[in-house]
Amino acid sequence: MARGKAPLAVAGIVALIGVAVVAVRAVAGGSGDCDGGIRLVVAAAPDIAPAVRDAAARWSATKPEVGGDCVQVQVRAAEPADVAGQLAARAGGAINVAATAVPSPAAADVPTVWIPDSTAWLVRMQAVSREAFEPDALSVATSPVAIAVPDPLAATLDAAGGTAGAPQVAALLAKVANKQVQLAAVDPRRSTAGLAGAGLLYDSILTDPKRLVDVVKAYRSIAVAADQTALDKSTGPAQVAPMSEQAVIAHNAGGPVVPLTALTVDPAVTLDYPYAMINGKPRANLEAAGRFRAALTAEGNRDLFARLGFRAADGSTSAGFPAGRGAATAPVTVKALAEERKITDILGYWNATTAPSRVLTLVDTTSSMNRPMAGAGSPSRLQVLRKTATDGLALFTDDSELGLWAYASGHQEVVPLNPLSQGQRARLTTAVAGAKATTADVCGLYETVLAAYKVLKEGYKEGRSNTVVVFTDGTNSKPGMSLETLKLELERATDPTRPVRVVLLGVGPDVKQQELAEIAAATGGRSFVVTDPEQIGNIFLQALIRTS
């Protein structure tokens, strides 16, 4: 994944220019048929581009005109993520497509029509610029998102009617946790099928919050492919991946070593291939685009899409549709991924769980940590924290940075903040296992939080979640700093360009919830109060991956 290196940015620009040159040469109908007319540039997702190009050739053969000028259609295959990055730069913004940002393109390099694989791309772009597109981006084809499963494995999932619902997702998560199955996907930031797959796991959090640990482990274990071609090549007998039905059909048509079965997702998610006309283009170009859309969606051109495995906009199939291995000719429900909040939440969870973290953990070691967590017979608060920290350590990526402080009347660095190498993991595990409460009953919570905040801010790292995580079972009891003073100092130290969050987890019944909430709010963080030992591991993860 590119991370801000100039040579990669230049390479990306050259690649875009290369695509544009190819597009100019690949004129539907021949460049001699319409010299000096209206040039209609269409950027289409690579999977649907061949059908769009064939439809353009048919239409060009009718010698279309707008206002007496002939229309020359140029169709280029372009990854939706790359076009989205280009359009975002044109609007003066940015969109997270797991690639280096490109400079603002020249007007001539911006297509008049964009056919991405999903309305999700339009929703994401409109978060950058509400005026990016002309109204009414109608669908030209559809393909339901499926879980592509090797045939032998599909039989073990007991997927009734070729559909993967909540029970099948739970079964997959269990197999992933037991390392019986490998999840693979194109990065959800670059692929709608990948986004839908990540969303399927995200939905399982909403239905059962206790699955959060399994979902985080699943996200972290995904073999991320650069694009669909790479994903096809990586497919193995114990690997499942979110793909469109059409992608599964295309995969099987290529004579693969490992044939795949398409298990459609329940609830349904559909790639809907919207025909989006770019705002700000000349009126003649937009009129030509409107006429080409009518031709593209005409009944007479359905065969061009059907034979490649695409369905019509209403989810129905036509003659020539290559059914089999989970792809049936019966109509399917069309449900585009178009809810802005859900798209934002899914991407937020993906980014938070897969991006490296930079976390400084503060553990309260005052004498009260020896008290039972939830009454007589329950484990001590410190015992619960030991287990939580040990389990949580396994969920951080290897390129994360972690450190550990202990605090009572003052604070002590137990493990310095360093990259999470095998040695650093061992040091943290040993320190956590050996943690003991002191005899001190004075808690310098405020001073410790402020000191940790300043350390993270001074060493701030871009592209990471810079977070102070605080475990405490009580309140500040050390004289010298008030809550108002702490909030004022945090406010003074805040730098919007170098955000550091403070997340506080209050353990046990003695915590002052309002106090923790006010500290967290001063940094845009979160606070939680835990009274049930069974809750703390899940809440710890929620605190770390909170996206809003």
Side-chain angles (χ1 to χ4, degrees), residues 10-359:
V10 172
I13 295 167
V14 171
L16 283 173
I17 293 172
V19 169
V21 170
V22 171
V24 169
R25 292 174 180 167
V27 178
S31 59
D33 293 343
C34 183
D35 293 331
I38 297 170
R39 189 169 68 103
L40 178 61
V41 178
V42 180
D47 50 352
I48 205 169
V52 176
R53 189 174 290 119
D54 288 345
R58 284 184 179 178
W59 189 57
S60 294
T62 69
K63 300 189 183 302
E65 293 184 353
V66 170
D69 292 325
C70 62
V71 179
Q72 182 187 86
V73 183
Q74 299 175 359
V75 179
R76 74 178 189 228
E79 289 290 345
D82 295 334
V83 178
Q86 186 185 44
L87 294 179
R90 176 188 184 229
I95 186 169
N96 185 355
V97 292
T100 304
V102 297
S104 181
D109 293 332
V110 177
T112 299
V113 175
W114 182 29
I115 309 177
D117 59 11
S118 171
T119 296
W121 285 108
L122 308 190
V123 172
R124 293 177 66 185
M125 259 307 305
Q126 286 171 326
V128 178
S129 171
R130 290 290 174 189
E131 308 300 322
F133 309 108
E134 294 286 318
D136 301 325
L138 302 180
S139 171
V140 300
T142 60
S143 185
V145 172
I147 297 179
V149 184
D151 286 1
L153 181 59
T156 71
L157 294 177
D158 189 29
T163 299
Q168 288 73 38
V169 173
L172 278 175
L173 285 175
K175 290 179 182 293
V176 170
N178 293 331
K179 297 185 177 179
Q180 297 172 288
V181 171
Q182 169 71 62
L183 286 179
V186 181
D187 193 314
R189 294 168 294 183
R190 296 187 61 81
S191 160
T192 306
L195 179 65
L200 191 64
L201 298 181
Y202 168 81
D203 286 342
S204 70
I205 303 173
L206 302 182
T207 56
D208 184 0
K210 292 182 180 178
R211 287 197 191 281
L212 179 58
V213 173
D214 287 340
V215 171
V216 171
K217 287 181 178 178
Y219 276 4
R220 294 269 172 86
S221 69
I222 289 175
V224 179
D227 53 31
Q228 185 61 45
T229 300
L231 184 60
D232 283 337
K233 291 179 180 178
S234 73
T235 302
Q239 185 180 79
V240 301
M243 295 184 187
S244 69
E245 177 187 68
Q246 189 276 335
V248 175
I249 290 172
H251 175 91
N252 290 332
V257 176
V258 182
L260 301 175
T261 292
L263 301 184
T264 54
V265 172
D266 182 23
V269 180
T270 315
L271 303 188
D272 61 325
Y273 298 90
Y275 187 97
M277 293 186 280
I278 308 300
N279 202 358
K281 288 293 182 175
R283 183 49 52 188
N285 289 66
L286 293 175
E287 186 173 344
R291 294 188 185 185
F292 179 53
R293 180 177 66 186
L296 198 60
T297 56
E299 185 70 24
N301 280 326
R302 286 188 64 169
D303 64 307
L304 299 177
F305 296 91
R307 69 192 184 197
L308 293 180
F310 290 100
R311 296 171 180 267
D314 62 0
S316 63
T317 60
S318 300
F321 180 80
R325 296 193 181 278
T329 55
V332 299
T333 300
V334 175
K335 176 66 174 175
L337 187 54
E339 300 172 40
E340 182 177 1
R341 181 54 193 260
K342 182 166 186 176
I343 292 169
T344 300
D345 283 352
I346 295 170
L347 290 173
Y349 267 84
W350 174 263
N351 290 334
T353 56
T354 59
S357 302
R358 185 167 178 266
V359 176

Side-chain angles (χ1 to χ4, degrees), residues 375-386:
S378 68
S380 73
R381 300 165 189 181
L382 191 59
Q383 287 175 322
V384 172
L385 292 185
R386 281 198 197 106

Side-chain angles (χ1 to χ4, degrees), residues 347-435:
L347 290 173
Y349 267 84
W350 174 263
N351 290 334
T353 56
T354 59
S357 302
R358 185 167 178 266
V359 176
L360 183 53
T361 301
L362 315 182
V363 176
D364 187 342
T365 57
T366 52
S367 58
S368 57
M369 290 296 288
N370 282 324
R371 295 176 187 167
M373 172 76 176
S378 68
S380 73
R381 300 165 189 181
L382 191 59
Q383 287 175 322
V384 172
L385 292 185
R386 281 198 197 106
K387 184 177 187 309
T388 301
T390 301
D391 292 347
L393 185 60
L395 298 173
F396 286 97
T397 59
D398 290 340
D399 53 354
S400 293
E401 296 179 35
L402 268 73
L404 178 66
W405 288 6
Y407 71 96
S409 57
H411 68 268
Q412 174 187 3
E413 183 180 68
V414 180
V415 179
L417 185 63
N418 279 315
L420 201 51
S421 62
Q422 187 173 357
Q424 182 74 348
R425 286 184 186 273
R427 285 186 286 274
L428 287 164
T429 300
T430 300
V432 168

